Amino acid sequence: MSFSSFGQRFKAFSENPDTYVAELTEFYLSDANMKKDKQKEYEALILQYADVFNAMPVQQKKDVMKLSNLMLKKRVRPLPGFYDFIETQIAFKTTNQSNESFNQWFKGLNWTIESSTLGGFNNAVNSSLNLVKYNTLYSTKIVDWKVKHNGYNIRIDTIRGPYVDFTSDIDLTYSSQKDLNTIFSTKGKFYIVEQIFEGFGGKVDWSRAGLPKDQVYAELSNYNVSLKRAAIIADSVLFTNKEYFQHKLSGTLEDLCSDKVGDVTYPRFYSYKREEIIKNVFPDVDYVGGFTQQGGKFLGYGTAVEPAELVIKKEGKLFCKAKAILHPFSQEGIASPDCQITFYINQDSVYHPGLLFRYNKSQKEIACINNKEGISASPWVDSYHAIDIYTEAVYAKLDGHTLEFTSIKAPSNTVSFASFESNNYYTEAKWDKIKGIDEVSPIYRVKGFVDKYKKKNIPVKEFARYIGFDETQAEVMLMRLAIDGFINYESYRKTAIVKEKIFDYIKANTKKQDYDNLRFVSSTKNSANAVLNIFDMDLRLYGIETFSLSDTHFVNIAPNKGEIVMKKNRSFEFNGKISAGRFNMGGEKCYFDYERFALNLPKIDSMAFYVPLFEDTNKIIKIQTPLQNLVCELLIDDPKNKSSIKRVPGYPMLSSLEESFVYYDQPKIQNGVYLREKFFYKLDPFKIKDLMTFKTDSIRFTGIFKSSGIFPDIKEPLKVMKDYSLGFIIETPSTGMIAYGGKGQFYNR
C-alpha cells in the first residue's frame, strides 16, 4: 500500500492523551508495506512506550501529540521515522535524562520538522536515538562516531537547528569496519541536522600506527568534521614527535579510517613551514624542509621548487647534501627515493641528479643506490677529476675518509662493474647510439630549444610542445640524455638543466672542437671499483682493463693488477705496460699528464719496438735487442689536438731524458757470460718522432760500448742490423785494436 493510500485511512492524531497510544498502533497497522516481524517489534515498542507516555507531564504529552501531527503532515512513515521517535523518548526515560534536555530535544525536532526536509528530520531523529541510547553521534554499516562523555546539553541554533553541546571533555571515536581512532579530551558541538561536529581542543595520537602515544601526537585547536566519513581534517594543530625533536610543529592534521589490510598511512600531519630547520635530527645530520608524519612513517618533505634537504656534516664541516621531495625517517635512519646528492670535498664536489639515498644511523653510513628507476643510471659528476662515473652504488662513512664506488652490497662472489669517462669524451659510436633511428638527434633537439627560447632550463611540457611529441615521449628523451651525462634531469619538477657538454659534443661531432677518448672500464670481484680518499683526493681505480689514450696513435695502457690512481683533471699514476705506435714498454711510477697530453715515465725497465722489414716496408718485425733502465717522456699529441683531428707531424714523440742501456747477459748470448755490470752499451738521451711511421734506417742511438775490458770503450752508434738486433760494425785499423788491456790485439770488423 502506498503512503498516500494509508494516509487516507489515517489522517491525524486526535491529540487526546487517552487514545494517543492506541492511535499509534492504528497508524503502524495502516502501513501495508511493513513486514510481520517489524509489526511485532513495533507492537512490543508501543507496549513499552505506553508507560513512558502515561508518566509524562500534561504539557509534554500535548507537545508529543502536536509534533506527531506535524510529522504526519511531513509524510513521516511508521518506519523509520515514528519508530525512532518513540524509541528515543523511551531512551530519554531509561537513561535518566533531565526534563530540560528532553524539552530542548523536542524544540529541536519542532525546528527540524518545520525547517528541514523529510530526510533531514529522519536523520535528526535517528541521531538523537543513537546519542541518547548508544552514545553514538552517527552510525551506518561503514562509519561510526561514538562519544565517551560526562553529560551534555541539547540546544537550539535559530539558523542551524538543534545541536548537542559538550562543554566538558569527551573522547570522540571514529571508525570504519576494521579501523578506528580517537580524539581524546576534546569539546564541541554536534549539529544534529547537518551531521557536523565542530570541535575545539583535544589530542590525536599515532598508537594505531604502532608509535607510543606519549611520544607522537597532535594537539588540536578548532576543527569541523562531517560525520558521514570516518575522517578528520584539522588546521593549526601542534605536532610532537619526541624521537626527532623536542619542540612542537604547527600544521595540518588529516586522518582517515581505512579497511585496507596493512594500510597504516594515517594519521597524517603536514607542517606549515617548508623551511623547518632541525639540528641533529640524527648526530651530524641536520634537516631543512617541511615535515609530515604518515602513519608510522616520519617524512621530511618539500616541493618541486624547494625540495627538502638533509645536511650531513663530517668533523663539523659540510660533507653531503641530499635533496628530495620526500625524506622518510625511521629509527634506523633515512631512505629517500629520487634524491639529488652532492658530496662536498675541499673546494670540489661529486654530484648525482637523482637516485636512492640511504643513511644508516647506527653505522653512520651513507649509501647512494642506482635502483634502476628514473635517472638513477645517470653518471656521478666528479669536478676535481673532471670525469663522469657510472656505478651501481656509492658508500661513505662519517667516521671514515673515503667514498667507495662499487656494486650494491651483497653476499660474496659479487662481480662489480663501473666505468669512468672524461667529461670531454666523444666517440662516433656513442653519437650514433644516441641518435638511434630518429631523423633528428635528441642532442640537436635540445640545442634547438635552447637557441629558440634562450634558456637552459627545459620544462618537459614546453619541450614536448617544441618537438611535437607527447609529454611521456619528451620526458623519456630527456631522461636518456641525462643517463648519457648531457643534462641534469630533476624529475621532481620535470625539468632538464642543459650542461655545456651537449654543445661540446656537437662541436666534437662537427670537428670544430677538440675532445678525447679517455674511458676506463672496471670489473672487480668482492671489492670496490674505485675509492676516493677525501684527504688527498686520490681516486684509486681497480679492475681496470686495457684502455686507450689515443686510438689514432695506438697509445694504450695495461695497468698492473688493473690499478691506477686518478689525480686532478684526469691525470693519473700507474704501474704497467704502455704501447705507443710501434713501441712497447713496462714501467713503474708512470704519470699521465692530461693537460700536456703526455706520459712521464721515470722508470722503464725494458722497452721493445718494431721496425719495417728491409725488404718489405709493409710488414714489421720486433727488434731483438731491448732497451733497458730508461727515464722517458712520451708526448702523445699536441695538447690542443687530443682527438688527433689534425695531423701534427712528429707525434707521438718519445724522448729518453737520461742515459739508458743495452745489456748482453741473456742466456742466448754466450750462455749469459757477459754480466751487465761490466758489459753493456750506454745510450745517450735520444728522441724518436712519429712512433707509428718512422723508417728502419732512421733508428740511431749514440752512446758508448763498454766490454768489461775486452776492448777499449767504443763510441759507435747503435743501428738496426740485418738480423734485426741493435749493434754496430767498425773496421779495426791495420795495426789492430788493443784487447784485454794490451794483452792482445784484435784484427777484424
Side-chain angles (χ1 to χ4, degrees), residues 284-286 311-321 343-347 398 534-535:
D284 297 315
V285 180
D286 297 342
V311 180
I312 302 174
K313 296 178 181 178
K314 181 178 174 61
E315 297 176 352
K317 296 181 180 179
L318 175 62
F319 178 57
C320 178
K321 281 187 178 180
F343 288 99
Y344 297 89
I345 308 169
N346 299 324
Q347 302 302 313
L398 296 193
I534 65 175
F535 292 150

CSV table of all heavy atoms in Angstrom, one decimal, residues 284-286 311-321 343-347 398 534-535:
chain,number,residue,atom,x,y,z
A,284,ASP,N,75.1,14.6,13.6
A,284,ASP,CA,75.8,15.2,12.5
A,284,ASP,C,74.9,15.3,11.2
A,284,ASP,O,75.4,15.5,10.1
A,284,ASP,CB,77.1,14.3,12.1
A,284,ASP,CG,78.1,14.3,13.2
A,284,ASP,OD1,78.4,15.4,13.7
A,284,ASP,OD2,78.6,13.2,13.5
A,285,VAL,N,73.6,15.1,11.4
A,285,VAL,CA,72.7,15.3,10.3
A,285,VAL,C,71.6,16.3,10.7
A,285,VAL,O,70.9,16.2,11.6
A,285,VAL,CB,72.0,13.9,10.0
A,285,VAL,CG1,71.0,14.1,8.8
A,285,VAL,CG2,73.0,12.8,9.7
A,286,ASP,N,71.6,17.4,9.9
A,286,ASP,CA,70.6,18.5,10.0
A,286,ASP,C,69.6,18.3,8.9
A,286,ASP,O,69.8,17.7,7.9
A,286,ASP,CB,71.2,19.9,9.9
A,286,ASP,CG,72.2,20.1,11.1
A,286,ASP,OD1,72.2,19.4,12.1
A,286,ASP,OD2,73.1,21.1,10.9
A,311,VAL,N,71.4,17.9,5.5
A,311,VAL,CA,72.7,18.5,5.5
A,311,VAL,C,73.6,17.6,6.5
A,311,VAL,O,73.3,17.6,7.7
A,311,VAL,CB,72.7,19.9,6.0
A,311,VAL,CG1,74.1,20.5,6.0
A,311,VAL,CG2,71.8,20.8,5.1
A,312,ILE,N,74.5,16.9,5.9
A,312,ILE,CA,75.3,15.9,6.7
A,312,ILE,C,76.7,16.5,6.9
A,312,ILE,O,77.4,16.9,5.9
A,312,ILE,CB,75.4,14.6,6.0
A,312,ILE,CG1,73.9,14.0,5.8
A,312,ILE,CG2,76.2,13.6,6.8
A,312,ILE,CD1,73.8,12.8,5.0
A,313,LYS,N,77.2,16.5,8.1
A,313,LYS,CA,78.5,17.1,8.4
A,313,LYS,C,79.5,16.0,8.8
A,313,LYS,O,79.1,15.0,9.4
A,313,LYS,CB,78.3,18.1,9.5
A,313,LYS,CG,77.5,19.3,9.1
A,313,LYS,CD,77.3,20.3,10.2
A,313,LYS,CE,76.4,21.5,9.8
A,313,LYS,NZ,76.2,22.4,10.9
A,314,LYS,N,80.7,16.3,8.5
A,314,LYS,CA,81.8,15.5,8.9
A,314,LYS,C,82.9,16.3,9.6
A,314,LYS,O,83.4,17.3,9.0
A,314,LYS,CB,82.4,14.8,7.7
A,314,LYS,CG,83.6,13.8,8.0
A,314,LYS,CD,84.0,13.2,6.6
A,314,LYS,CE,85.2,12.4,6.8
A,314,LYS,NZ,85.0,11.2,7.8
A,315,GLU,N,83.1,16.0,10.9
A,315,GLU,CA,84.0,16.8,11.7
A,315,GLU,C,83.7,18.3,11.7
A,315,GLU,O,84.5,19.2,11.6
A,315,GLU,CB,85.5,16.6,11.2
A,315,GLU,CG,85.9,15.1,11.3
A,315,GLU,CD,87.3,14.9,10.8
A,315,GLU,OE1,87.9,15.8,10.1
A,315,GLU,OE2,87.8,13.8,10.9
A,316,GLY,N,82.4,18.6,11.7
A,316,GLY,CA,81.9,19.9,11.8
A,316,GLY,C,81.8,20.7,10.5
A,316,GLY,O,81.3,21.8,10.4
A,317,LYS,N,82.2,20.0,9.4
A,317,LYS,CA,82.2,20.7,8.1
A,317,LYS,C,81.2,20.0,7.1
A,317,LYS,O,80.9,18.8,7.3
A,317,LYS,CB,83.6,20.6,7.4
A,317,LYS,CG,84.6,21.4,8.2
A,317,LYS,CD,86.0,21.3,7.4
A,317,LYS,CE,87.1,22.1,8.2
A,317,LYS,NZ,88.4,22.0,7.5
A,318,LEU,N,80.6,20.8,6.2
A,318,LEU,CA,79.6,20.3,5.3
A,318,LEU,C,80.3,19.2,4.5
A,318,LEU,O,81.3,19.3,3.9
A,318,LEU,CB,79.2,21.4,4.4
A,318,LEU,CG,78.2,20.9,3.2
A,318,LEU,CD1,76.9,20.3,3.8
A,318,LEU,CD2,77.9,22.1,2.3
A,319,PHE,N,79.6,18.0,4.4
A,319,PHE,CA,80.1,16.9,3.7
A,319,PHE,C,79.2,16.4,2.6
A,319,PHE,O,79.6,16.1,1.5
A,319,PHE,CB,80.4,15.7,4.7
A,319,PHE,CG,80.9,14.4,4.0
A,319,PHE,CD1,82.0,14.5,3.2
A,319,PHE,CD2,80.2,13.2,4.1
A,319,PHE,CE1,82.5,13.3,2.6
A,319,PHE,CE2,80.6,12.1,3.5
A,319,PHE,CZ,81.8,12.1,2.8
A,320,CYS,N,77.9,16.4,2.9
A,320,CYS,CA,76.9,15.9,1.9
A,320,CYS,C,75.6,16.7,2.0
A,320,CYS,O,75.2,17.0,3.2
A,320,CYS,CB,76.7,14.4,2.1
A,320,CYS,SG,75.5,13.7,1.0
A,321,LYS,N,75.0,17.0,0.9
A,321,LYS,CA,73.6,17.4,0.9
A,321,LYS,C,72.8,16.5,0.0
A,321,LYS,O,73.2,16.1,-1.0
A,321,LYS,CB,73.5,18.9,0.3
A,321,LYS,CG,73.9,20.0,1.2
A,321,LYS,CD,73.6,21.3,0.6
A,321,LYS,CE,74.0,22.5,1.6
A,321,LYS,NZ,73.7,23.8,1.0
A,343,PHE,N,78.3,15.5,-2.7
A,343,PHE,CA,79.3,15.4,-1.7
A,343,PHE,C,80.3,16.6,-1.9
A,343,PHE,O,80.7,16.9,-3.0
A,343,PHE,CB,80.1,14.1,-1.9
A,343,PHE,CG,79.4,12.9,-1.4
A,343,PHE,CD1,78.8,12.0,-2.4
A,343,PHE,CD2,79.3,12.5,-0.1
A,343,PHE,CE1,78.1,10.9,-2.0
A,343,PHE,CE2,78.6,11.4,0.3
A,343,PHE,CZ,78.0,10.6,-0.7
A,344,TYR,N,80.5,17.3,-0.8
A,344,TYR,CA,81.4,18.4,-0.9
A,344,TYR,C,82.8,18.0,-0.3
A,344,TYR,O,82.9,17.7,0.9
A,344,TYR,CB,80.8,19.6,-0.1
A,344,TYR,CG,79.5,20.1,-0.7
A,344,TYR,CD1,78.3,19.5,-0.3
A,344,TYR,CD2,79.5,21.1,-1.7
A,344,TYR,CE1,77.1,20.0,-0.8
A,344,TYR,CE2,78.3,21.5,-2.2
A,344,TYR,CZ,77.1,21.0,-1.8
A,344,TYR,OH,76.0,21.4,-2.3
A,345,ILE,N,83.8,18.1,-1.1
A,345,ILE,CA,85.1,17.7,-0.7
A,345,ILE,C,86.1,18.8,-1.1
A,345,ILE,O,86.4,19.0,-2.2
A,345,ILE,CB,85.5,16.3,-1.4
A,345,ILE,CG1,84.4,15.3,-1.2
A,345,ILE,CG2,86.8,15.8,-0.9
A,345,ILE,CD1,84.6,14.1,-2.1
A,346,ASN,N,86.7,19.4,0.0
A,346,ASN,CA,87.5,20.6,-0.2
A,346,ASN,C,86.7,21.6,-1.0
A,346,ASN,O,85.7,22.0,-0.6
A,346,ASN,CB,88.8,20.2,-0.8
A,346,ASN,CG,89.6,19.2,0.1
A,346,ASN,OD1,89.6,19.3,1.3
A,346,ASN,ND2,90.3,18.2,-0.6
A,347,GLN,N,87.3,22.0,-2.1
A,347,GLN,CA,86.6,23.0,-3.0
A,347,GLN,C,85.8,22.4,-4.1
A,347,GLN,O,85.3,23.1,-5.0
A,347,GLN,CB,87.6,24.0,-3.5
A,347,GLN,CG,88.4,24.8,-2.4
A,347,GLN,CD,87.5,25.5,-1.4
A,347,GLN,OE1,86.6,26.2,-1.8
A,347,GLN,NE2,87.8,25.3,-0.2
A,398,LEU,N,80.8,8.4,7.9
A,398,LEU,CA,81.1,9.7,8.5
A,398,LEU,C,82.4,9.6,9.4
A,398,LEU,O,83.1,10.6,9.6
A,398,LEU,CB,80.0,10.2,9.3
A,398,LEU,CG,78.7,10.6,8.6
A,398,LEU,CD1,77.8,11.4,9.4
A,398,LEU,CD2,79.0,11.3,7.3
A,534,ILE,N,89.3,11.3,0.6
A,534,ILE,CA,88.9,12.7,0.7
A,534,ILE,C,90.0,13.6,1.3
A,534,ILE,O,89.9,14.8,1.3
A,534,ILE,CB,87.6,12.9,1.5
A,534,ILE,CG1,87.8,12.5,2.9
A,534,ILE,CG2,86.5,12.1,0.8
A,534,ILE,CD1,86.6,12.7,3.8
A,535,PHE,N,91.1,13.0,1.8
A,535,PHE,CA,92.2,13.9,2.3
A,535,PHE,C,93.1,14.3,1.2
A,535,PHE,O,93.4,15.5,1.0
A,535,PHE,CB,93.0,13.1,3.3
A,535,PHE,CG,92.3,12.8,4.6
A,535,PHE,CD1,92.5,11.7,5.4
A,535,PHE,CD2,91.3,13.6,5.1
A,535,PHE,CE1,91.9,11.4,6.5
A,535,PHE,CE2,90.6,13.4,6.3
A,535,PHE,CZ,90.9,12.3,7.0
